[in-house]
Amino acid sequence: MLKCERRINELIGCTDFVEKGTDSVVFRTCNEEKDRVVFQIGTSDAVRALTAAQLVCNDVAAIDINMGCPKSFSVSGGMGAALLSKPELIHDILTTLRRNLNTPVTCKIRLLKSPHDTVELARRIEKTGVSALAVHGRKVTDRPRDPAKWNEIADVVSALSIPVIANGDVFEYDDFERIKSATGAASVMVARGALWNASIFLPEGKVSYEDVKREYIRKCILWDNDIKSTKHTVKEMIIHYSCLELAEGKAVIKSESTADLAELYGQKEYYQLVKQGSFYAS
């Protein structure tokens, strides 16, 4: 984000944050999302975090600091879950953002080695003045297949006065109420469940994965989504419901453009309409 500049994309009515000197869109949003989207930052430095946040803060509902990602690309740079063992740096980052932004600031953590340690860190975070805290119910060493510890999220909820957002093992609509009931959390965060099938948010139940995938491709065409992002999401859907080694998965991997995906999923005519501008004009 530090390499980006803000541009108005009048063609599709969006606000783009584009890497300077390129046409690479790092983040795209729109006015309709302004009061809904929370922009999450991976950082290990308070000043750099503030600079990035100031660039985007007027176009989003809140700024969130990721303190839970266990992936090597994040941890190796001192970001994500690497921050969990650095409470002073956490304090520095969050207080710097709070003092200099009018936009709400939140953060997300994982469980520490013991429930006591998690609660103590959560209390220190609350004192920085953040508006809410998300807690993922697994430790850094846990794998996605390990059950999320909802009871340890409940310990954090009991200890804090700010809203706590519960995260972990939410795969069906009914799980929203189950995790809220089990933890007492104010709200719920869903990750893989939404990535695999975004219709998880429908009270009447999920629609078919094939329908969701097709509609997702159409949205990506309409909003000119970055091909790498589109492919990543489609591959995650396929991995969950099928297999990348089958013909569909191989074709997605081979695709080099949104046009390739449009043809693969029978959306070539729709793609051409959008690219001609007739869809926007109507």
Side-chain angles (χ1 to χ4, degrees):
M1 283 301 292
L2 295 177
K3 298 178 181 179
C4 290
E5 60 185 6
R6 183 180 183 272
R7 297 182 193 169
I8 300 300
N9 187 327
E10 295 182 356
L11 177 63
I12 57 177
C14 286
T15 302
D16 293 347
F17 293 84
V18 183
E19 189 173 345
K20 294 175 184 176
T22 75
D23 291 322
S24 177
V25 178
V26 175
F27 175 56
R28 169 170 286 156
T29 188
C30 60
N31 285 335
E32 291 85 348
E33 294 181 339
K34 186 173 181 179
D35 297 327
R36 304 178 184 181
V37 169
V38 175
F39 188 81
Q40 188 180 72
I41 297 174
T43 187
S44 60
D45 181 271
V47 175
R48 288 167 63 86
L50 177 60
T51 303
Q54 286 173 326
L55 179 64
V56 76
C57 65
N58 292 324
D59 294 292
V60 296
I63 299 294
D64 184 83
I65 299 299
N66 184 337
M67 302 181 183
C69 181
K71 300 289 177 111
S72 59
F73 74 85
S74 184
V75 175
S76 63
M79 303 179 289
L83 291 172
L84 295 175
S85 59
K86 301 174 182 177
E88 292 81 11
L89 180 54
I90 289 176
H91 181 271
D92 187 26
I93 292 171
L94 295 178
T95 53
T96 297
L97 294 177
R98 284 282 297 116
R99 288 170 183 164
N100 293 280
L101 297 177
N102 292 323
T103 309
V105 176
T106 62
C107 66
K108 181 189 177 187
I109 66 170
R110 279 180 171 252
L111 301 179
L112 300 186
K113 290 183 179 179
S114 72
H116 173 78
D117 289 345
T118 306
V119 167
E120 286 306 303
L121 177 62
R123 283 175 170 155
R124 292 188 69 163
I125 289 172
E126 181 178 39
K127 289 178 181 178
T128 66
V130 295
S131 299
L133 172 68
V135 182
H136 179 66
R138 291 183 178 86
K139 301 172 184 176
V140 173
T141 54
D142 289 338
R143 301 274 55 86
R145 64 178 177 272
D146 297 325
K149 300 175 180 66
W150 290 0
N151 60 308
E152 294 192 29
I153 300 176
D155 293 338
V156 176
V157 174
S158 299
L160 303 189
S161 58
I162 60 172
V164 173
I165 304 164
N167 173 232
D169 290 351
V170 178
F171 301 118
E172 304 292 339
Y173 183 82
D174 290 346
D175 290 338
F176 289 116
E177 194 53 47
R178 287 181 57 241
I179 193 171
K180 284 184 72 174
S181 177
T183 63
S187 190
V188 180
M189 179 183 290
V190 55
R192 289 177 294 160
L195 187 63
W196 295 334
N197 190 326
S199 65
I200 186 177
F201 300 102
L202 292 174
E204 59 269 28
K206 288 187 285 194
V207 300
S208 79
Y209 139 74
E210 293 293 344
D211 288 345
V212 170
K213 185 170 53 178
R214 191 178 304 108
E215 183 62 22
Y216 175 70
I217 294 295
R218 288 172 68 90
K219 294 295 186 188
C220 289
I221 293 170
L222 181 62
W223 299 112
D224 190 27
N225 195 46
D226 179 76
I227 183 61
K228 296 187 295 296
S229 171
T230 303
K231 285 178 64 173
H232 172 75
T233 301
V234 173
K235 286 192 292 183
E236 287 293 325
M237 292 182 191
I238 294 171
I239 290 169
H240 181 66
Y241 286 101
S242 179
C243 176
L244 280 177
E245 296 303 313
L246 299 179
E248 179 191 5
K250 290 180 178 180
V252 170
I253 293 171
K254 190 177 179 181
S255 296
E256 296 180 353
S257 66
T258 302
D260 292 340
L261 291 177
E263 185 159 0
L264 176 62
Y265 288 105
Q267 302 299 322
K268 185 176 180 179
E269 184 177 344
Y270 179 76
Y271 176 84
Q272 291 172 341
L273 279 173
V274 170
K275 289 304 173 183
Q276 289 166 4
S278 55
F279 189 93
Y280 299 116
S282 63

